[in-house]
Amino acid sequence: GENVEQHPSTLSVQEGDSAVIKCTYSDSASNYFPWYKQELGKRPQLIIDIRSNVGEKKDQRIAVTLNKTAKHFSLHITETQPEDSAVYFCAASSIGGGGGADGLTFGKGTHLIIQP
Amino acid sequence: NAGVTQTPKFQVLKTGQSMTLQCAQDMNHEYMSWYRQDPGMGLRLIHYSVGAGITDQGEVPNGYNVSRSTTEDFPLRLLSAAPSQTSVYFCASSRWGNEQFFGPGTRLTVL
């Protein structure tokens, strides 16, 4: 099955600086890569996703890049703000591939701390 | 729309007790799933369903049963609770191949 590794487990940055979180996956059949943000005691919420036919996607201060050859994808947050403090999870899925259809395999999470 | 709802929010069980975690969605999504979240482990898929009457196992199915008699509901049953099942449980739903929406979670403690 799929295995997703996420680094770092904790990331502390100064407010206004950029943050980068990296994930690798093992199954070359994976074709959907979402990123979720989870605040303490809350449910995971999708912040951005990318499909395997696209190399980069951007939404305001958030961007995701995908390198299918190397099987890794990254989350980039620019101009970080205090409200960006949370745990971020990457995930991978093989949509339409049968088996665990649409079931997400998650990384273990990155605790992002924005220092004022 | 209420989205994805889960009940109860909190539950304490004794070892060997049984219970059902409820999950419902009002978005007419075909796909529903259950995950458990443990500290430092991310979320792990327990069971999933691609439509009414169809269920299958995920990564960590042992100790859990599911059924999907309607599009809206996807309950998760613990037949004989064990301390290893202490966790936060999230239900999720989606249209095929699209964003998964998560419920608010159920925090379960098994003593």
Side-chain angles (χ1 to χ4, degrees):
Chain A
E2 175 66 276
N3 182 50
V4 176
E5 300 281 342
Q6 182 172 349
H7 299 281
S9 56
T10 303
L11 178 60
S12 181
V13 302
Q14 290 293 126
E15 182 178 349
D17 287 350
S18 296
V20 180
I21 302 170
K22 298 181 179 181
C23 289
T24 61
Y25 62 99
S26 62
D27 188 351
S28 57
S30 288
N31 55 15
Y32 175 63
F33 307 93
W35 285 88
Y36 284 84
K37 176 183 180 182
Q38 187 178 31
E39 297 175 347
L40 190 62
K42 301 286 182 63
R43 74 190 80 186
Q45 294 200 298
L46 182 76
I47 55 171
I48 195 166
D49 57 11
I50 192 167
R51 297 180 191 271
S52 59
N53 58 347
V54 175
E56 183 174 359
K57 184 176 179 181
K58 194 172 182 179
D59 182 4
Q60 298 182 0
R61 296 186 297 109
I62 295 173
V64 58
T65 58
L66 171 65
N67 183 327
K68 285 189 296 182
T69 303
K71 295 202 191 78
H72 67 71
F73 56 113
S74 300
L75 177 71
H76 305 253
I77 305 174
T78 59
E79 301 171 13
T80 53
Q81 300 169 4
E83 54 265 35
D84 294 330
S85 292
V87 179
Y88 292 80
F89 292 96
C90 63
S93 176
S94 171
I95 292 175
D102 283 19
L104 294 169
T105 300
F106 283 84
K108 289 183 168 54
T110 296
H111 186 194
L112 177 61
I113 302 165
I114 307 301
Q115 304 277 8
Chain B
N1 285 352
V4 181
T5 59
Q6 291 182 237
T7 57
K9 294 187 75 171
F10 301 94
Q11 183 71 50
V12 179
L13 293 177
K14 294 181 180 178
T15 296
Q17 287 186 315
S18 63
M19 81 158 295
T20 299
L21 280 63
Q22 301 291 344
C23 174
Q25 53 92 10
D26 61 0
M27 297 174 282
N28 202 31
H29 286 169
E30 309 94 344
Y31 184 83
M32 296 186 74
S33 54
W34 277 100
Y35 295 86
R36 60 177 289 172
Q37 183 174 32
D38 302 295
M41 294 293 293
L43 291 93
R44 292 180 291 169
L45 182 65
I46 304 171
H47 284 285
Y48 66 95
S49 169
V50 299
I54 306 168
T55 64
D56 207 342
Q57 298 180 349
E59 179 187 353
V60 288
N62 292 342
Y64 308 95
N65 282 349
V66 292
S67 61
R68 182 101 179 265
S69 56
T70 67
T71 299
E72 294 78 20
D73 300 297
F74 191 43
L76 179 72
R77 296 185 191 83
L78 285 71
L79 297 178
S80 179
S84 60
Q85 293 178 304
T86 293
S87 189
V88 179
Y89 292 85
F90 288 100
C91 178
S93 75
S94 69
R95 286 223 176 271
W96 190 265
N98 287 290
E99 173 188 355
Q100 290 202 23
F101 293 87
F102 284 83
T106 294
R107 185 175 296 273
L108 175 68
T109 302
V110 183
L111 303 175

